[in-house]
Amino acid sequence: MLKRATAVDEQDFWDPFLEVGHSAPETAQGREERAFVERSRNLTTEVRESVSRAIRRMFPRPVAVLLEAAVTWVSGCPHRGQQELVKRGKVAYTLEAFGGFAVAVVLAHLAVVTELWFVLPVLWLVLAGRTWALFNIFHHATHNTLFRSKRLNRVLAFWISIISFSSSLDSYRKEHIRSHHTRAMCTYEDKEAVFMSLGFSPGMPKSYYYRRLAWLILSPRTYLLYTRYRLWDWQKQEPWPRRIAVWAYAAALVAVAYRLDLMESLLLSYVVPLFVVFNITGLLGTFSEHHWGTLLDKPARVRLVLLQQSRFLLDSAPDRTLPLRRRMTGWARWWGRLLFYHLPVRVAVLPGDSVHHDHHHRHPRTETWTSSTYERFDHVCNGCPGFENFPHTHAWSLGEAIDRVFTRMSAAPRPDNAEPFPDFTPAIVRRLKFWRRSPR
């Protein structure tokens, strides 16, 4: 049930801290708590239901079923009563990840040799997304929810880490399971929050976070540091056989490309998407999944349920009561955002079950993660079993998700032991005005 909080407008609001017996006082802590008050649109699936009603009204049933399946895949959110059209198991997910990665590399190579340069950006997005799909497989191997055979899981994780130049399964397990999935989640002790020392500590103005993110994406130094991190910093902590395997793979790629006069293809079909585009999509994904550095004084269970969100990708259907011209304009905008905004984000930034990150943290050992879209929806419809006082929350676009994270990071008190971080962002970026209305 939604609880009415401050009457900002006529919509219902839900204050999670009313569930633990107090309302937010007029203090820094109170400001942080008020930043977590949710609107009903971020708790319910009415946005998706509005689209479903429009589809059923405008198309015959066979077309509507297929269109609904496509919208559900893009958005990550089904409508009430929808059944999974095609059930894909773990084998299918794994084959899609590896096969999609290989196909994307081959197509990018063909685009280079045939000089179809305009195709490359699209293929880079696909390849970055397939790399994240591989990482999702690697991630579930870390949680022992991939296959029953631990040996098979280790073999798959090994090759994923080699071709993507990432850490080994054992190293990542120590970092992820023993740090991120503990009380240290989203704190300075969380080993997955290393970027917080790069100017993203809590308590800064929201516009500052946007400037820092923009500068990290625009600065070549970011990619040089990340490349060094992946090729050296990660690897120097690994056993020698592992290091030799990674560097031998890198040397073999360069040697074969040089021998066959394919250095340009290696650069544009492998290096750029894996060390530039993949990094950009990683930053966007990271700053949209967790409310980093917030609620540091709250119990671990409260932080577990409030510091992550799902990232659905959909807009409400235009109001059918609008005049015809405005309604047609609304649908043109709706389709434009679906195809050229939400779809690229789904492909490149949030493939697989990464769109439902809050569900993963609540149920990290679920064996049915391949159907997380419908599993999470069932939990929402059934009152979030085990978490009845804290319903799932979600944003409806990548931009909204990032804005929610920065809003809450900005409202959090700055830790006493946080080192001051000077704003080294160039003046041209600092002058950018990130005025945006938060739909939170």
Side-chain angles (χ1 to χ4, degrees):
M1 212 114 166
L2 298 180
K3 296 182 180 293
R4 185 170 293 280
T6 53
V8 177
D9 55 31
E10 296 181 355
Q11 297 194 46
D12 284 335
F13 284 74
W14 175 73
D15 185 345
F17 293 101
L18 291 178
E19 301 291 349
V20 294
H22 68 88
S23 58
E26 290 297 327
T27 62
Q29 178 183 354
R31 289 193 297 273
E32 180 183 33
E33 291 183 5
R34 285 196 299 275
F36 280 83
V37 173
E38 293 282 5
R39 289 200 330 188
S40 59
R41 76 183 300 276
N42 300 112
L43 294 160
T44 67
T45 59
E46 177 54 29
V47 169
R48 178 67 180 87
E49 296 301 328
S50 72
V51 175
S52 181
R53 289 192 294 268
I55 290 175
R56 292 197 300 267
R57 188 170 61 245
M58 297 167 61
F59 296 95
R61 179 173 174 76
V63 177
V65 169
L66 295 177
L67 189 55
E68 290 273 39
V71 170
T72 295
W73 175 79
V74 174
S75 67
C77 180
H79 65 79
R80 289 186 178 275
Q82 185 178 13
Q83 300 296 317
E84 196 169 2
L85 193 60
V86 177
K87 290 185 178 292
R88 294 179 297 164
K90 298 174 182 179
V91 173
Y93 261 82
T94 303
L95 292 176
E96 284 178 7
F98 277 95
F101 182 89
V103 170
V105 171
V106 171
L107 291 178
H109 164 70
L110 293 176
V112 172
V113 298
T114 57
E115 298 185 352
L116 296 175
W117 309 113
F118 66 93
V119 179
L120 278 177
V122 175
L123 295 174
W124 288 346
L125 292 176
V126 173
L127 185 51
R130 289 300 85 197
T131 307
W132 283 117
L134 286 174
F135 178 78
N136 285 350
I137 301 298
F138 182 94
H139 177 241
H140 286 291
T142 302
H143 284 277
N144 294 317
T145 55
L146 185 54
F147 297 114
R148 292 184 179 179
S149 171
K150 292 185 177 181
R151 183 174 182 178
L152 176 59
N153 292 343
R154 294 191 70 87
V155 169
L156 292 173
F158 171 80
W159 283 109
I160 289 172
S161 66
I162 293 295
I163 63 178
S164 62
F165 295 100
S166 62
S167 61
S168 67
L169 181 65
D170 292 333
S171 296
Y172 182 72
R173 182 170 285 157
K174 292 178 183 178
E175 177 182 287
H176 186 69
I177 302 297
R178 301 180 188 177
S179 174
H180 189 59
H181 278 269
T182 67
R183 294 174 182 270
M185 181 187 66
C186 297
T187 68
Y188 279 95
E189 287 70 41
D190 187 346
K191 293 183 178 179
E192 293 194 7
V194 292
F195 59 85
M196 289 172 66
S197 62
L198 298 177
F200 287 92
S201 59
M204 304 292 286
K206 187 166 70 169
S207 59
Y208 170 82
Y209 295 132
Y210 277 111
R211 292 197 304 269
R212 288 300 302 170
L213 179 59
W215 180 238
L216 285 180
I217 291 174
L218 295 173
S219 173
R221 182 172 181 270
T222 299
Y223 306 102
L224 294 176
L225 288 175
Y226 192 49
T227 299
R228 189 197 70 179
Y229 190 61
R230 291 169 68 180
L231 295 181
W232 178 254
D233 293 346
W234 272 346
Q235 309 306 332
K236 69 181 181 181
Q237 304 173 13
E238 305 285 359
W240 270 108
R242 158 76 188 187
R243 283 188 251 179
I244 292 173
V246 172
W247 293 333
Y249 175 72
L253 282 177
V254 174
V256 171
Y258 181 80
R259 180 70 178 82
L260 299 178
D261 194 24
L262 295 175
M263 293 297 290
E264 182 183 41
S265 180
L266 175 64
L267 176 65
L268 295 177
S269 65
Y270 201 92
V271 175
V272 169
L274 254 69
F275 288 90
V276 177
V277 182
F278 181 74
N279 187 42
I280 295 173
T281 58
L283 287 170
L284 297 176
T286 295
F287 287 113
S288 62
E289 63 183 359
H290 289 298
H291 307 301
W292 301 95
T294 61
L295 303 181
L296 297 177
D297 62 335
K298 301 302 179 187
R301 182 173 175 82
V302 173
R303 300 186 80 246
L304 166 68
V305 294
L306 293 183
L307 295 193
Q308 37 265 329
Q309 61 185 346
S310 281
R311 294 155 289 181
F312 294 152
L313 307 171
L314 194 66
D315 299 318
S316 297
D319 189 346
R320 64 180 301 191
T321 63
L322 292 173
L324 178 60
R325 183 173 180 179
R326 289 185 61 188
R327 194 161 69 248
M328 293 179 63
T329 302
W331 276 114
R333 182 177 183 275
W334 188 91
W335 278 106
R337 281 174 57 87
L338 182 74
L339 297 176
F340 300 107
Y341 175 32
H342 297 312
L343 179 59
V345 169
R346 185 68 163 116
V347 169
V349 184
L350 302 175
D353 65 325
S354 58
V355 71
H356 314 108
H357 199 66
D358 60 340
H359 184 69
H360 164 70
H361 271 269
R362 295 187 184 205
H363 306 281
R365 298 300 303 275
T366 179
E367 293 286 343
T368 55
W369 53 267
T370 58
S371 298
S372 63
T373 294
Y374 295 88
E375 183 177 87
R376 181 192 184 277
F377 188 75
D378 287 342
H379 284 208
V380 171
C381 293
N382 293 316
C384 298
F387 302 90
E388 290 82 1
N389 290 336
F390 295 96
H392 282 292
T393 62
H394 42 258
W396 287 100
S397 71
L398 180 66
E400 181 187 352
I402 293 174
D403 196 72
R404 283 161 56 87
V405 171
F406 286 168
T407 296
R408 291 167 178 179
M409 288 177 64
S410 181
R414 190 164 172 79
D416 295 334
N417 60 348
E419 297 181 1
F421 190 89
D423 189 356
F424 291 128
T425 308
I428 189 173
V429 179
R430 288 202 301 272
R431 283 196 293 268
L432 292 177
K433 292 186 179 299
F434 290 96
W435 300 109
R436 59 167 57 195
R437 296 175 61 188
S438 172
R440 187 190 61 78

